[in-house]
C-alpha cells in the first residue's frame, strides 16, 4: 500500500524509517519531510494546513493510510477532514486531541474518571489565580491551558515567581494559550514517558522512555522539546507498566469513549512516578520527539499492521515485539537553541557517524543545499546508539556525536545519566 506520513522532525524520520521497512509499504510519501526522510521515501511539498489539498493528494496517489506525526494538524482536525473524505488516518480526532490541546480538559477528565494526577485549580483571571496560589503556598506549578510549544509551564519555587508567571500569562505573554491558566500541585518523583496505541476502545502498550527536557547538563537551563532520550526507562518496571495501564490509560480510553469522543492514535502519557504510585503530568496525542527515535529502533515487529489495527478498531488482534536492547539518542542542536537557534551552518560527518556499529542517525531540522547538509532548525540531528546496556548505548551515541564535524552545534553530554547511575549501582 501507499502511505503518507505528515511531519518533518526527528520523530518523522524515525517513523519513516520504521514504516519503510514494512513489507506492506509499497510507496512512502512524507510531507514535508527532511533530508533523512528522503532516504526512506519521497518527500512531497504539500500545505499541511490545507486539509482539502492533503485529501486530493491522497486520492491522486492512491494513499491507503495517512500517519500524522505532530500535534498541530491533529488539534486542527486533519483526522476529521481526511476521514470525511474517506481516507484512513492514524491519529485522534480534533475532539480527542483536546487531551493535548487543553490542559484543563485533561484535568477535568482526570477528576471525572478518578485518574491520578496533581491537584489543580483553573482560572480565567489573575486575582483568583493569585488567591489560589496564596492559599496553596509555593512551590507550585503554573501552566498556560493551550498549546505553547513546551514553554507554557512555569515551575515556581516562590510565591513571587508564581505571581509573576500568572501576570505574564494573563498579559498575553504566551498568546491565546494563556487565556486560561491551570495551577497545579508540584509533584515529586521520577519522570517517565509511556506510550500506548489506542483504537478507541483498546490500548496496546508500546514501551517507555525517558526524556531530558532541560537544555543543559545536570538538568539545568530552560525547557526544550527534548535534548535526548532513552528506552526503556528502568523506573517503568512491568508492575509499574501494569498500574499505568490499569489506573491511567484504560480509564482515559473508557472516559473518552463514554463522552462520545473515543481516542484513536498514540496516547503519550507524561508520568511522575511518585511515592504513592504513577500520576499523570500531561497527555500528548502523538509520539514523543525524541522518544520516538529510541522507540522505533527497539521495535522488532512491523509497525504498519499495528497502525492499521488501531485505525480499524481491532487492536486486540495486534501484537508488537521489542528488542531487549537499550536505545539512547543525543540531540544535536543549533547554537542558540531553544531561544534563538542559528541556522544555515554546514554539518559534516553524518555518513561517517551513521556507519558506526550500533548507530542510527535521524535528521530533524536539516536542509540539503548545494554545500551539503545545513542546519535549518533548533533540534537538528538525533544520534542514536543501541546496546545491551544503557552504558553501551550511550557510548555508541556519543561516539556518533564525536564523528560529526559541526562547530555551530551543541549537545548535552549527560543523556541517560539516571539509567547509567542505576546500572553502575547494580
Ligand atoms: P508539561 O508541559 O505539562 O509536560 O510540563 C513540562 C515539565 O514540567 C514536565 O515534564 C515536568 O518536568 C514539569 N511538571 C509539569 N507539571 C508538574 C507538576 N505538577 N509537578 C512536578 N513537575 C511538573
Ligand atoms: N519530548 C517531549 C515531547 O515530544 O513532547
Amino acid at each position: 500500500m501507499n502511505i503518507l506520513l505528515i511531519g518533518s522532525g526527528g520523530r518523522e524520520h524515525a517513523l519513516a524509517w520504521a514504516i519503510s521497512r514494512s513489507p506492506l509499504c509499497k510507496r512512502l510519501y512524507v510531507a514535508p519531510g527532511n533530508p533523512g526522510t528522503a532516504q526512506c521515501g519521497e518527500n512531497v511539498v504539500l500545505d499541511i494546513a490545507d486539509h482539502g489539498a492533503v485529501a486530493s493528494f491522497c486520492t491522486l496517489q492512491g494513499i491507503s493510510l495517512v500517519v500524522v506525526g505532530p500535534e498541530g494538524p491533529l488539534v486542527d482536525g486533519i483526522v476529521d477532514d481526511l476521514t470525511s473524505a474517506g481516507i484512513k488516518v492514524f491519529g485522534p480526532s480534533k475532539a480527542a486531541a483536546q487531551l493535548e490541546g487543553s490542559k484543563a480538559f485533561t484535568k477535568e477528565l482526570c477528576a471525572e474518571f478518578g485518574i491520578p494526577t496533581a491537584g489543580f485549580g483553573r482560572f480565567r483571571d489573575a486575582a483568583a489565580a493569585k488567591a489560589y496560589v496564596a492559599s496553596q503556598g509555593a512551590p507550585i506549578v503554573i501552566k498556560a491551558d493551550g498549546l505553547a510549544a513546551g514553554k507554557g509551564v512555569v515551575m515556581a519555587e516562590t510565591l513571587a515567581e508564581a505571581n509573576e508567571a500568572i501576570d505574564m500569562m494573563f498579559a498575553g505573554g504566551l498568546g491565546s494559550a494563556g487565556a486560561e491558566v491551570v495551577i497545579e500541585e508540584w509533584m515529586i518523583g521520577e519522570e517517565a514517558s509511556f506510550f500506548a496505541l489506542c483504537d478507541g476502545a483498546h490500548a496496546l502498550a508500546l514501551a517507555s522512555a525517558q526524556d531530558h527536557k532541560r537544555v543543559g547538563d545536570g538538568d539545568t537551563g530552560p525547557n526544550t522539546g527534548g535534548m535526548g532520550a532513552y528506552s526503556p526507562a528502568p523506573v517503568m518496571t512491568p508492575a509499574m507498566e501494569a498500574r499505568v495501564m490499569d489506573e491511567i490509560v484504560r480509564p482515559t480510553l473508557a472516559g473518552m469513549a463514554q463522552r462520545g469522543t473515543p481516542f484513536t492514535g498514540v496516547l503519550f502519557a507524561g508520568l511522575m512516578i511518585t511515592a504513592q504510585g504513577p500520576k499523570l503530568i500531561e497527555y500528548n496525542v502523538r509520539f514523543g520527539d525524541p522518544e520516538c527515535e529510541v522507540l522505533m529502533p527497539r521495535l522488532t515487529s512491523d509497525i504498519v499492521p499495528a497502525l492499521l489495527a488501531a485505525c480499524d478498531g481491532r487492536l486486540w488482534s495486534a501484537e508488537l515485539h521489542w528488542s531487549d536492547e537499550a536505545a539512547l539518542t543525543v540531540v544535536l542542536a543549533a547554537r542558540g537553541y531553544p531561544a534563538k537557534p542559528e541556522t544555515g551552518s554546514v554539518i559534516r560527518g553524518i555518513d561517517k557517524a551513521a556507519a558506526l556499529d550500533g548507530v542510527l542517525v535521524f535528521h530533524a531540522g536539516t536542509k540539503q543545499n548545494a554545500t551539503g547538509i545545513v542546519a535549518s532548525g533548533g533540534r537538528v540531528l538525533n544520534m542514536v546508539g543501541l546496546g545491551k546496556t544503557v552504558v553501551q548505548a550511550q557510548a555508541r551515541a556519543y561516539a556518533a556525536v564525536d564523528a560529526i564535524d559541526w562547530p555551530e552545534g551543541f549537545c548535552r553530554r549527560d543523556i541517560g545519566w539516571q539509567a547509567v547511575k542505576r546500572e553502575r549501582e547494580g
Side-chain angles (χ1 to χ4, degrees):
M1 66 172 66
N2 297 340
I3 299 176
L4 170 66
L5 170 65
I6 291 180
S8 64
R11 165 182 49 215
E12 285 74 26
H13 187 184
L15 285 170
W17 176 81
I19 292 170
S20 67
R21 290 151 58 103
S22 169
L24 293 174
C25 179
K26 195 163 107 210
R27 301 196 72 152
L28 172 65
Y29 297 95
V30 190
N34 64 36
T37 63
Q39 298 164 6
C40 310
E42 189 181 322
N43 287 350
V44 289
V45 181
L46 252 181
D47 179 2
I48 302 311
D50 182 348
H51 300 169
V54 177
S56 303
F57 175 87
C58 292
T59 309
L60 202 65
Q61 301 299 336
I63 300 290
S64 309
L65 173 66
V66 178
V67 179
V68 185
E71 64 277 19
L74 296 169
V75 172
D76 281 350
I78 194 168
V79 170
D80 310 62
D81 291 339
L82 294 183
T83 304
S84 312
I87 297 155
K88 188 173 288 188
V89 204
F90 176 79
S93 67
K94 183 174 180 162
Q98 282 304 296
L99 282 175
E100 175 161 0
S102 164
K103 295 195 189 298
F105 175 92
T106 297
K107 297 301 281 188
E108 296 296 349
L109 185 93
C110 289
E112 186 178 343
F113 296 98
I115 297 159
T117 186
F120 73 103
R122 44 189 292 202
F123 303 93
R124 290 196 158 269
D125 74 90
K130 287 180 183 173
Y132 181 77
V133 162
S135 73
Q136 299 293 309
I140 195 155
V141 183
I142 316 292
K143 298 186 176 184
D145 176 61
L147 289 181
K151 300 191 182 84
V153 176
V154 176
M155 308 288 294
E157 304 203 15
T158 63
L159 286 180
E161 275 172 47
N163 288 332
E164 197 182 307
I166 290 167
D167 284 334
M168 177 274 286
M169 288 180 194
F170 284 118
L174 298 170
S176 60
E180 177 161 343
V181 167
V182 174
I183 302 184
E184 289 183 11
E185 160 205 356
W186 182 316
M187 297 184 287
I188 307 290
E190 187 169 345
E191 275 184 60
S193 305
F194 186 75
F195 298 84
L197 289 185
C198 302
D199 70 0
H202 312 95
L204 178 62
L206 291 173
S208 61
Q210 196 119 12
D211 186 11
H212 296 60
K213 288 214 169 71
R214 303 289 201 94
V215 75
D217 283 3
D219 293 325
T220 54
N223 264 334
T224 69
M227 293 299 291
Y230 58 90
S231 174
V235 67
M236 290 299 292
T237 57
M240 189 58 72
E241 267 192 40
R243 280 191 71 176
V244 170
M245 288 298 281
D246 287 345
E247 296 171 27
I248 298 180
V249 173
R250 289 196 187 100
T252 298
L253 281 195
M256 292 296 283
Q258 191 180 317
R259 287 178 167 195
T261 53
F263 183 89
T264 303
V266 182
L267 191 60
F268 163 178
L271 302 172
M272 188 70 84
I273 309 303
T274 72
Q276 299 88 46
K279 290 192 182 181
L280 182 72
I281 300 174
E282 63 157 2
Y283 273 132
N284 295 303
V285 297
R286 49 166 176 91
F287 281 105
D289 191 351
E291 290 93 330
C292 192
E293 290 91 309
V294 288
L295 293 185
M296 290 305 116
R298 292 190 55 234
L299 183 62
T300 54
S301 37
D302 186 348
I303 191 170
V304 173
L307 299 178
L308 290 169
C311 294
D312 296 341
R314 47 175 183 81
L315 207 45
W316 49 267
S317 66
E319 251 184 61
L320 289 173
H321 300 281
W322 300 88
S323 151
D324 289 335
E325 290 207 318
L328 182 143
T329 180
V330 177
V331 171
L332 276 171
R335 210 154 56 196
Y337 177 75
K340 212 167 172 290
E342 297 165 23
T343 57
S345 50
V346 181
I347 305 159
R348 297 186 177 82
I350 296 177
D351 291 343
K352 200 168 95 194
L356 295 172
D357 249 2
V359 165
L360 288 164
V361 179
F362 292 128
H363 289 241
T366 65
K367 224 168 52 192
Q368 175 83 51
N369 74 10
T371 2
I373 296 287
V374 300
S376 69
R379 292 188 292 170
V380 174
L381 287 173
N382 279 275
M383 314 307 286
V384 184
L386 297 158
K388 291 196 168 49
T389 59
V390 178
V391 170
Q392 188 181 34
Q394 186 193 48
R396 286 177 162 168
Y398 280 111
V401 166
D402 293 336
I404 297 286
D405 173 13
W406 182 33
E408 294 83 0
F410 75 96
C411 67
R412 276 180 63 162
R413 279 280 159 188
D414 64 347
I415 300 302
W417 66 267
Q418 299 103 320
V420 165
K421 189 162 158 250
R422 270 178 208 250
E423 277 181 5
R424 294 224 159 102
E425 286 167 359

